[in-house]
Amino acid sequence: MGRKTIISISLIAAVACYAFLVAAQVLPMPFGNKKTPSSAEEDAQIIYENRMDAMLYGADIDLNTEMVKFRKLSSISAETIKRPEDRKFSYLVINDLDGSIILTDEEIQCINDYIQVPGAAVLYFGRKYLNAWDQPDCGPSAKVENMIEIAVEYTNEKGRIIRGNGMWTEEDANERGDMLDEVILTQMAFMIYMNS
């Protein structure tokens, strides 16, 4: 065998070995084929990088990401919803979709005081407390035509409280209930964006 033949056979063997390892997913593809992160993954990354204090009161919700985990609350008080010193943003999710939460006037006021701080937000899922934290300057609630809303969000954007609605309706719960985690992540990331 000539020297050129040995080099050619060695090169073919190396390429075949590399192709086998790529096919076995031991080595990555050399070009392209990079997984593009989903919008939920991008939102989770923003929330993680901004070290948001994410709190949950009520029934469990899985955010389906390792980057963002809820701090589960067993009660509502000024102390339990107080933002840690090292956090710029805090986000309280109240999951009352099953209708089991009963908030006292003191708890409602405590949450109202909480959203007076820039970088704070509350997202309520349910029916009973959709207007509990309306502010005098919010004006009348906008309605989503032919939809029954079961969520409302109050965010303090640089000192101004904004009431958001339309992000979760009865129709959403019935038709895409498995996307609740994505809706929450989107709202959290948007709140960071609006306060940056």
Side-chain angles (χ1 to χ4, degrees):
M1 258 189 217
R3 186 176 167 161
K4 287 184 180 180
T5 306
I6 292 174
I7 292 174
S8 296
I9 291 173
S10 297
L11 188 57
I12 291 170
V15 169
C17 181
Y18 181 76
F20 175 76
L21 292 174
V22 167
Q25 296 181 347
V26 174
L27 294 175
M29 288 287 286
F31 306 105
N33 203 21
K34 291 184 180 179
K35 184 181 174 199
T36 305
S38 69
S39 61
E41 290 168 333
E42 289 174 353
D43 291 339
Q45 185 68 36
I46 291 167
I47 296 161
Y48 177 79
E49 288 172 358
N50 284 278
R51 298 177 37 79
M52 176 180 273
D53 180 29
M55 301 170 281
L56 175 65
Y57 183 66
D60 285 338
I61 298 172
D62 185 1
L63 291 175
N64 293 316
T65 177
E66 290 299 315
M67 286 189 276
V68 181
K69 296 292 181 195
F70 280 122
R71 177 166 60 96
K72 182 78 167 146
L73 304 178
S74 58
S75 65
I76 297 289
S77 70
E79 200 56 41
T80 60
I81 62 175
K82 183 178 179 182
R83 182 185 314 158
E85 295 284 326
D86 64 338
R87 305 297 169 104
K88 184 178 176 183
F89 304 105
S90 58
Y91 202 97
L92 171 61
V93 175
I94 301 173
N95 183 4
D96 189 27
L97 288 172
D98 64 3
S100 65
I101 290 179
I102 298 173
L103 295 174
T104 65
D105 290 342
E106 292 80 18
E107 290 169 324
I108 290 170
Q109 184 59 47
C110 181
I111 294 168
N112 189 57
D113 294 343
Y114 157 79
I115 60 173
Q116 302 306 312
V117 178
V122 62
L123 175 57
Y124 171 77
F125 290 100
R127 297 177 194 281
K128 288 185 279 194
Y129 303 104
L130 287 173
N131 301 103
W133 301 284
D134 282 356
Q135 305 295 307
D137 61 347
C138 281
S141 306
K143 297 292 181 198
V144 180
E145 196 171 315
N146 299 323
M147 300 281 184
I148 299 173
E149 293 187 69
I150 52 176
V152 66
E153 178 188 51
Y154 297 86
T155 59
N156 188 315
E157 296 175 7
K158 300 178 181 176
R160 183 168 178 241
I161 298 171
I162 307 296
R163 183 186 200 276
N165 56 347
M167 82 272 310
W168 198 249
T169 64
E170 245 183 24
E171 184 178 331
D172 294 325
N174 293 332
E175 293 181 11
R176 49 186 206 117
D178 60 333
M179 295 181 69
L180 185 62
D181 58 314
E182 293 178 33
V183 169
I184 294 170
L185 291 170
T186 298
Q187 294 304 121
M188 287 178 166
F190 188 69
M191 188 272 254
I192 291 170
Y193 171 76
M194 293 305 291
N195 279 284
S196 297

